[in-house]
Structures are given as structure tokens and as C-alpha cells.
Amino acid sequence: MKLLRYGPAGHEQPGLLDEHDTLRSLTGKIPDLTPEHLAPASLARLAAIDPMTLPAVSGNPRLGVPFAGTRKFLAIGLNYADHARESGLPIPTEPVVFTKAVSCLQGPNDEVVLPRDSKKSDWEVELGVVIGTTARYVEEREALEYVAGYVVVNDLSEREYQIERGGTWDKGKGCDTFGPVGPWLVTRDEVGDVHNLDLWLDVNGERKQTGNTRTMIFGVAILVSYVSRFMTLEPGDIITTGTPPGVGMGQKPEPVYLAPGDRIRLGIEKLGEQSQTVRAWRRR
């Protein structure tokens, strides 16, 4: 299934995308797509609904984060060997884990706002893993059973804040609007082999990133198992799994960063596409 939420920010309604790419409403079946609906039994009940019996949604509504109620937005750094090299950093021997603020979550096509005085805001197309079952001390061989599905994530990053301002990476990762997720949650059964998906990202129509999840250093099962040793993973939590090469910081001969008016477009095979316009911060 491709599950989603649509409508104005803060007033989203649940829906799904049928096999003909028609958006259909789940209103009346469930009040919203929340963590409780990501459990295997709940997903099975939704999968049993004939999409053709659901009302089609007219027009082209805004898409929100595909599910509500995320409590942890976790990220893995330097998880593609070629991205680690372009960053001038050694290949990790264990996953690098950091946190993105939940407050940075937004719909896949909402505009990206550069932080005030930002000089080095950057893009990163990533595979996001959505937890469906509470996981703690999970064995690697069982880890995928705890996954509800997958999403596209743009792990936007302010590199000066991340690298030059001391302390952890979190400073440059959780800025408002720096977590576009969606367009939909694709359930694990529909994705198939998650370790062979093409990823790409364009800025102003120019291809910047091209990769495939098969080149991840640590695969999804390893990451879910590893992170579950340090914290309990709950339904609705997101783990975004790292980015292939081609980020702005790694452009040659000089880094290239986002500017107001830039247009970002990105996608992952089987998981859909996002599109964002960049604007400068301004006081409301």
C-alpha cells in the first residue's frame, strides 16, 4: 500500500494511492494515520479494503507527512562509502547516529526555509525507515519485521551549524522545514528488496545526486537492530539512513549551497518524488 495524508497543514486527512495513482480518502475508515495504524494487524486491515470502494479525492491537494505522531526522527551519518570519501571522513566502523528535531518534519512539497543568516544549507536524498512495532534489543535477523514501510526523506543540513559551531551535528539538522517526508509511506511488502533502490536529487534541474541503496555501508536490518540497543524504537519513529555522494558540500571545485529561489526535486525508486522551493527566513 501507499498510505498518505492530504490537506492543509494541521488539518490533514488520511488517504491512500491506488494502483492507478488515484488519491482515495480513508476518512470514515480511520480518523487519521497514526502510529497505531502502522502495526502489522492494522496494516492488514487497511490492505483488506478495496480501494475502489473509497471516494476519490478531487484536485491536487497538499500532501503532509504520511503519518502523524512521530516521536523520534533519527538519522544515520556517512552511511555511503563514497559520501564519506567526498566529505573527507573515514568510513565508519559503527553507524553514526544523530537526531533531527521532530519539529522539522513537513510535507514532501512544502517550501524549505533557510535559517536566519544561513550560508551553507545543503540537500541530502535519503531512504527513511518507518517503525511499525515497538523494538528494543532486536536481533538483526528479525529486524525487518519491526518495519512498517519506507519513505523518501530530504535530510536538509546547515553545514556551518553542523560542523563549525562545536558540539553535535544536531545543530545543523533540525532547523524548521529541514525534514520533508513523503509523498507516501510504502509498506514493506510492496517495496520488496529495499537494498536495491535508485536514489536521485536535482537542484534547479541539474542532477546532483545519483545512487542506489545497495551501496549503503549498514543495511536496514543492521540499523534497526543497532539503534534498538541504545533506545526503544516506537511505532511512527523514523530512521533516515544516509545519503549517496553529490551533496552541496562535496561539489567540485567549490561547494555549492542552497539559495532563495532554488528548486529541489528528489526521489527514490518505488517510493515517489518530492519537490521543494527554497526561500529565505523572514520574521512572521
Side-chain angles (χ1 to χ4, degrees):
M1 286 183 295
K2 294 182 175 71
L3 299 170
L4 54 87
R5 295 166 71 243
Y6 65 95
H11 300 279
E12 292 91 347
Q13 300 178 61
L16 59 77
L17 198 73
D18 71 17
E19 62 181 340
H20 305 293
D21 293 336
T22 298
L23 196 163
R24 295 188 177 272
S25 174
L26 281 167
T27 302
K29 300 294 185 181
I30 54 175
D32 199 354
L33 279 166
T34 58
E36 66 185 282
H37 299 110
L38 302 179
S42 296
L43 290 176
R45 285 193 291 271
L46 291 174
I49 299 171
D50 179 358
M52 300 306 290
T53 66
L54 300 172
V57 177
S58 61
N60 186 29
R62 170 191 173 270
L63 297 178
V65 178
F67 48 92
T70 297
R71 297 183 63 183
K72 290 189 288 295
F73 191 6
L74 306 169
I76 307 301
L78 305 174
N79 197 31
Y80 288 71
D82 34 13
H83 173 55
R85 285 193 293 270
E86 78 171 349
S87 302
L89 296 169
I91 294 174
T93 56
E94 290 192 41
V96 175
V97 181
F98 60 92
T99 297
K100 288 179 73 74
V102 173
S103 57
C104 80
L105 285 167
Q106 67 170 20
N109 304 317
D110 294 344
E111 64 182 2
V112 166
V113 180
L114 300 178
R116 187 175 66 179
D117 303 323
S118 169
K119 300 179 179 66
K120 298 182 179 181
S121 288
D122 204 346
W123 57 82
E124 297 188 19
V125 58
E126 303 200 3
L127 168 74
V129 178
V130 181
I131 300 299
T133 304
T134 300
R136 58 176 69 89
Y137 300 111
V138 171
E139 297 296 330
E140 184 182 329
R141 66 179 179 276
E142 302 170 343
L144 292 184
E145 298 175 15
Y146 293 80
V147 174
Y150 304 98
V151 290
V152 180
V153 176
N154 191 352
D155 176 23
L156 290 143
S157 312
E158 215 299 344
R159 301 301 188 188
E160 181 186 14
Y161 299 178
Q162 176 189 356
I163 298 169
E164 302 172 33
R165 299 292 295 271
T168 69
W169 286 8
D170 298 9
K171 292 178 183 178
K173 293 288 189 171
C175 305
D176 290 349
T177 77
F178 272 27
V181 172
W184 35 75
L185 164 70
V186 184
T187 51
R188 181 163 51 93
D189 61 303
E190 185 163 330
V191 173
D193 183 7
V194 72
H195 298 110
N196 189 24
L197 300 177
D198 290 331
L199 307 86
W200 58 270
L201 182 145
D202 296 344
V203 179
N204 298 327
E206 180 181 350
R207 183 58 47 94
K208 297 294 187 181
Q209 289 187 273
T210 302
N212 188 286
T213 55
R214 65 174 171 265
T215 66
M216 288 195 298
I217 299 167
F218 304 106
V220 172
I222 293 173
L223 293 175
V224 172
S225 174
Y226 182 86
V227 175
S228 78
R229 302 175 201 172
F230 301 98
M231 66 193 79
T232 298
L233 295 171
E234 302 168 295
D237 287 352
I238 303 169
I239 303 174
T240 189
T241 58
T243 197
V247 299
M249 181 175 63
Q251 298 295 306
K252 306 298 182 185
E254 297 292 335
V256 177
Y257 295 111
L258 293 169
D262 283 349
R263 186 81 173 177
I264 311 168
R265 192 170 183 86
L266 61 148
I268 301 178
E269 182 182 359
K270 298 183 180 181
L271 303 185
E273 299 182 5
Q274 301 182 358
S275 181
Q276 297 110 27
T277 298
V278 179
R279 73 165 173 85
W281 181 89
R282 58 178 178 265
R283 190 178 301 278
R284 293 180 179 177

